Amino acid sequence: MKLTKEIFNTFTGKAGNHFKEMEVATYAEIGTREGNTFKERTPFISKFALAVDCWDLYEKASQNDMGREREYARQQYENLKNYYNSTIFTDNRIEIARNFSNDPILFNKFEDNYFDCIFIDGNHSYEGVKDDLNNWWNKCNTLFYGHDYMLKETIWNGVRCGVKEAVDEFVEEHKQEIKHFRVYTGSANPTWFIWKN
């Protein structure tokens, strides 16, 4: 993967507009829902892309902070699966994992440093974000980033968004392993970016 300081400093939104020039080979997305972000990025992934979401398997509000009805969430999963089964992506480059992102069987399938980019946008509770950061950090080799770094207190479906608190703590704990950290605040749902050493 090719990441330069110039590209890193121009990331906006979810950074998908840079995937082609960065030559991303491997990508994981934690929290996929209907798959819009995932579908935008996969055409530029040369080797393998993983989408993880619990979809209709949610057990608590923090796993369903958008308040999806169970049948609607199941249909999102089916639609995404069908999209990849009916397109050019029938070569095993895509895995749709209907699972919880904190399942060690899932994240331990991948060697450390396997993914060029990992995008975190799943369980937005403080505990959920901390789990994702800790469980997936070693699986990433370059760009580790996520969505909804809310600058003001935000409540979704009765759950307090804990992304900023969890990410700030994580950055402090791992500062020796981080080349650069920045937040794009030009949207209502800011995106945080970590460039790993």
Side-chain angles (χ1 to χ4, degrees):
M1 178 174 154
K2 297 178 180 177
L3 181 58
T4 65
K5 192 166 185 182
E6 291 72 31
I7 292 173
F8 185 79
N9 287 335
T10 60
F11 284 149
T12 60
K14 299 177 185 177
N17 55 323
H18 291 287
F19 268 49
K20 184 175 183 179
E21 66 185 302
M22 292 190 303
E23 298 180 13
V24 178
T26 50
Y27 170 70
E29 184 170 296
I30 313 303
T32 305
R33 276 193 298 158
E34 68 278 352
N36 292 338
T37 302
F38 192 72
K39 287 188 275 190
E40 287 171 6
R41 295 176 183 167
T42 50
F44 307 110
I45 308 301
S46 61
K47 184 176 175 185
F48 179 75
L50 170 70
V52 179
D53 200 298
C54 65
W55 281 287
D56 58 317
L57 304 178
Y58 57 82
E59 299 168 336
K60 50 190 176 182
S62 64
Q63 296 164 335
N64 183 30
D65 55 23
M66 298 304 288
R68 296 172 289 175
E69 293 294 329
R70 202 168 293 276
E71 178 55 29
Y72 180 68
R74 187 193 65 75
Q75 194 57 56
Q76 287 180 323
Y77 166 69
E78 294 295 335
N79 290 346
L80 189 62
K81 250 189 2 177
N82 291 339
Y83 174 82
Y84 284 102
N85 287 337
S86 63
T87 66
I88 60 168
F89 300 105
T90 56
D91 57 3
N92 298 320
R93 284 197 302 127
I94 308 295
E95 180 179 340
I96 311 296
R98 185 183 181 204
N99 198 347
F100 296 100
S101 59
N102 64 353
D103 182 347
I105 294 172
L106 174 64
F107 58 79
N108 285 326
K109 281 173 44 175
F110 302 98
E111 295 178 9
D112 285 355
N113 301 308
Y114 176 77
F115 291 102
D116 291 337
C117 299
I118 296 180
F119 181 68
I120 309 287
D121 194 18
N123 183 334
H124 288 69
S125 69
Y126 167 80
E127 297 80 9
V129 176
K130 283 292 274 199
D131 275 354
D132 285 340
L133 296 172
N134 289 322
N135 293 332
W136 291 90
W137 174 251
N138 289 334
K139 306 304 175 184
C140 181
N141 63 53
T142 306
L143 183 62
F144 195 65
Y145 67 123
H147 201 218
D148 302 311
Y149 184 93
M150 308 307 284
L151 304 177
K152 297 179 182 175
E153 184 172 38
T154 304
I155 309 290
W156 287 314
N157 196 28
V159 178
R160 181 182 162 275
C161 180
V163 175
K164 183 180 186 309
E165 181 183 1
V167 169
D168 288 349
E169 283 181 12
F170 187 84
V171 167
E172 181 60 29
E173 292 163 3
H174 294 268
K175 58 187 172 188
Q176 300 302 320
E177 303 166 69
I178 295 172
K179 185 180 291 191
H180 296 290
F181 170 71
R182 66 181 285 265
V183 178
Y184 172 72
T185 58
S187 76
N189 299 74
T191 304
W192 55 271
F193 301 94
I194 294 175
W195 183 359
K196 293 186 70 173
N197 279 333

